[in-house]
Amino acid sequence: MYHKSHGLNTVCTHAGELEDSQYKGAVSPLYMSTSYAFEDVEVKRYPRYFNTPNQVALAKKMAALEHGEEALIFGSGMAAVSTSLMAFLHKGDHVVFQNTLYGGTSNLVVEEFEKFGIEYSFTTGSSPEEFEAEIKDNTKVIYIETPSNPLLTITDVKAVAEIAKRHNLVSMIDNTFASPVNQNPIDFGIDVVIHSATKYMGGHSDILAGTVISSEKHIDTIFQLAKNFGGSLSDYTVWMLERSIKTMGLRVKAQNKNAQKLAKYLENHPDVARVYYPGLESHPDHELAKAQMKGFGGMLSFELRDGLDSSFFSKSLKLIKSSMSLAGVESTIVAPTLTSHALLTPEEREKQGIKNGLLRFSVGIEDKKDLIADIEQALKVVRTEVKELQDN
Ligand SMILES: *Cc1c(COP(=O)(O)O)cnc(C)c1O
């Protein structure tokens, strides 16, 4: 049985698990029923009410992982993001967002909020002062994302949580990039923690899910809207996600370690112009990352030196796959300019510091030497192309 004093890997493996009293099986039984007897009038079990046995069990694991009181499991990260925001925002309210948001979240805000009469501001940067500067009389929510995509900037979680408390606002964080292994924002005073469980929680690029963790009171507020919006996750996937999280501590720590080594290797490489990784001393927010993160994560970005074609480089990789998504056990690479940030104008990207050749690298659990060998062979192909062009 799980206990509060247990360490991370024990929590990952056991927190919330269901007991198979019938056969004494090793893992939580899967209850696929969408219909339950109506004996107990207090509990009307129905998957859309987020209260089937497997949903409740996994929610307990999520709450334990993020040091919250309660949690809800959603059908996607965006279902968790949209439902959490809309639960606290009414017509005429205002919300402050960090300028560097996940693309789906910024689309939700820019494309949908106006028709609900919800006002919003984006910060100009991610310093605490820049968040406080955007607060108005009708502000209700402050929303951050750290480390951010794709430049891995770090927001001071504790400072923003304090600002929110001082102004009586609900503070929310998208904690997807860090995962609960590397960062627990509730410990720093954040009210609502959101994850796309599609990423590190699932970890094998085969599950779409989301979760929100908070106090009992806030989860009840979110639940009241969630049951009407209907974004709960089906029990089979809930069960798959419970299984995936058992290895999350092991996976993410291996990814942290690989990413740190690869960041160092890339930083010292003559063909690489710049590396963005909070674990590097050269990262402008390294000290802040050290203060609030337990590990620096598996995500890094880098730019090749002038003259080397980054998209030709990506295509020349053999082991590292090109992929939109991230956080799987397999390493993947993507050009944010062509994908997540393609809808921004070149000027907007420039303002955010996103160069055209920037590559975002989601580091997996493969052996470091094989990842480096793949990068070396791809760089060689790209260098040869440059030389051939020069010779002709
Ligand atoms: C992927 C992602 C989301 C959205 O999650 P989905 O599961 O794709 O809906 C939100 N925030 C971040 C930081 C993400 O990486």
Side-chain angles (χ1 to χ4, degrees):
M1 236 356 217
Y2 155 74
H3 187 268
K4 262 200 148 66
S5 67
H6 283 152
L8 172 72
N9 287 323
T10 312
V11 173
C12 285
T13 314
H14 292 296
E17 69 190 334
L18 295 174
E19 194 185 312
D20 177 1
S21 53
Q22 202 170 5
Y23 296 108
K24 311 285 176 210
V27 304
S28 292
L30 165 57
Y31 297 97
M32 286 293 282
S33 291
T34 54
S35 171
Y36 289 83
F38 219 63
E39 288 162 42
D40 186 349
V41 194
E42 287 294 302
V43 195
K44 299 185 186 101
R45 284 193 200 277
Y46 186 60
R48 189 164 43 77
Y49 297 161
F50 295 80
N51 64 3
T52 59
N54 290 91
Q55 286 175 345
V56 171
L58 183 58
K60 282 187 186 152
K61 196 190 285 293
M62 296 299 191
L65 282 167
E66 278 294 12
H67 311 168
E69 289 172 3
E70 288 193 4
L72 294 170
I73 315 296
F74 286 87
S76 71
M78 282 313 300
V81 168
S82 57
T83 311
S84 301
L85 280 167
M86 297 315 248
F88 291 96
L89 294 168
H90 301 88
K91 200 161 112 186
D93 287 346
H94 173 261
V95 44
V96 178
F97 286 104
Q98 184 167 320
N99 58 342
T100 48
L101 282 188
Y102 172 72
T105 308
S106 79
N107 290 347
L108 167 74
V109 174
V110 174
E111 293 171 11
E112 310 295 341
F113 272 29
E114 198 182 326
K115 73 170 167 239
F116 294 106
I118 298 167
E119 297 170 26
Y120 57 87
S121 307
F122 287 101
T123 59
T124 41
S126 53
S127 73
E129 297 73 34
E130 284 164 306
F131 279 93
E132 192 150 32
E134 301 299 332
I135 296 173
K136 302 183 187 181
D137 289 343
N138 58 340
T139 305
K140 294 287 154 56
V141 172
I142 198 159
Y143 186 103
I144 64 174
E145 197 176 310
T146 179
S148 75
N149 180 32
L151 294 179
L152 290 313
T153 58
I154 306 293
T155 304
D156 189 331
V157 176
K158 189 158 166 251
V160 172
E162 278 167 11
I163 290 167
K165 284 212 165 56
R166 198 160 357 102
H167 293 268
N168 226 349
L169 315 176
V170 175
S171 54
M172 296 189 186
I173 185 170
D174 183 332
N175 204 32
T176 303
F177 265 38
S179 92
V181 177
N182 290 327
Q183 184 167 271
N184 298 122
I186 288 174
D187 294 350
F188 295 100
I190 290 285
D191 297 312
V192 176
V193 177
I194 303 167
H195 284 275
S196 166
T198 312
K199 311 297 163 54
Y200 287 105
M201 288 186 165
H204 297 72
S205 309
D206 55 7
I207 284 174
L208 181 72
T211 185
V212 53
I213 303 108
S214 187
S215 63
E216 193 183 329
K217 181 173 146 242
H218 285 331
I219 289 294
D220 188 58
T221 302
I222 297 166
F223 166 72
Q224 295 307 329
L225 181 68
K227 69 181 196 306
N228 293 335
F229 270 9
S232 62
L233 184 64
S234 90
D235 279 295
Y236 180 69
T237 316
V238 166
W239 184 84
M240 289 283 290
L241 184 54
E242 186 198 344
R243 188 184 76 162
S244 297
I245 292 174
K246 290 182 189 206
T247 57
M248 181 173 65
L250 298 175
R251 282 188 276 112
V252 171
K253 283 180 186 172
Q255 286 167 300
N256 288 345
K257 213 168 139 188
N258 260 355
Q260 181 76 40
K261 288 184 176 158
L262 279 156
K264 264 241 122 64
Y265 151 79
L266 288 167
E267 190 173 47
N268 291 325
H269 202 292
D271 287 338
V272 176
R274 185 150 179 205
V275 183
Y276 304 82
Y277 184 65
L280 290 177
E281 272 165 33
S282 60
H283 190 289
D285 303 323
H286 177 62
E287 288 304 318
L288 180 56
K290 248 180 18 193
Q292 67 187 31
M293 300 181 80
K294 297 167 194 177
F296 300 112
M299 301 298 301
L300 63 89
S301 290
F302 63 98
E303 292 152 11
L304 297 181
R305 72 171 160 80
D306 272 349
L308 296 183
D309 179 346
S310 64
S311 93
F312 186 47
F313 167 76
S314 302
K315 284 189 199 111
S316 305
L317 291 164
K318 291 179 175 153
L319 184 64
I320 301 164
K321 294 180 178 133
S322 282
S323 161
M324 273 283 272
S325 204
L326 57 109
V329 289
E330 68 286 349
S331 292
T332 59
I333 201 157
V334 75
T337 328
L338 305 176
T339 54
S340 56
H341 294 69
L343 294 177
L344 298 182
T345 63
E347 294 76 40
E348 283 171 320
R349 281 198 294 267
E350 185 70 38
K351 225 171 84 188
Q352 293 194 14
I354 301 167
K355 300 245 171 76
N356 271 339
L358 185 79
L359 293 170
R360 190 194 70 191
F361 188 4
S362 170
V363 182
I365 62 166
E366 301 94 336
D367 293 286
K368 182 195 73 177
K369 70 172 174 55
D370 298 327
L371 294 172
I372 289 178
D374 195 28
I375 293 169
E376 286 297 339
Q377 68 79 24
L379 282 171
K380 197 170 161 199
V381 174
V382 176
R383 280 194 308 263
T384 309
E385 182 212 44
V386 172
K387 193 162 176 310
E388 274 169 12
L389 284 173
Q390 283 166 348
D391 290 350
N392 290 331

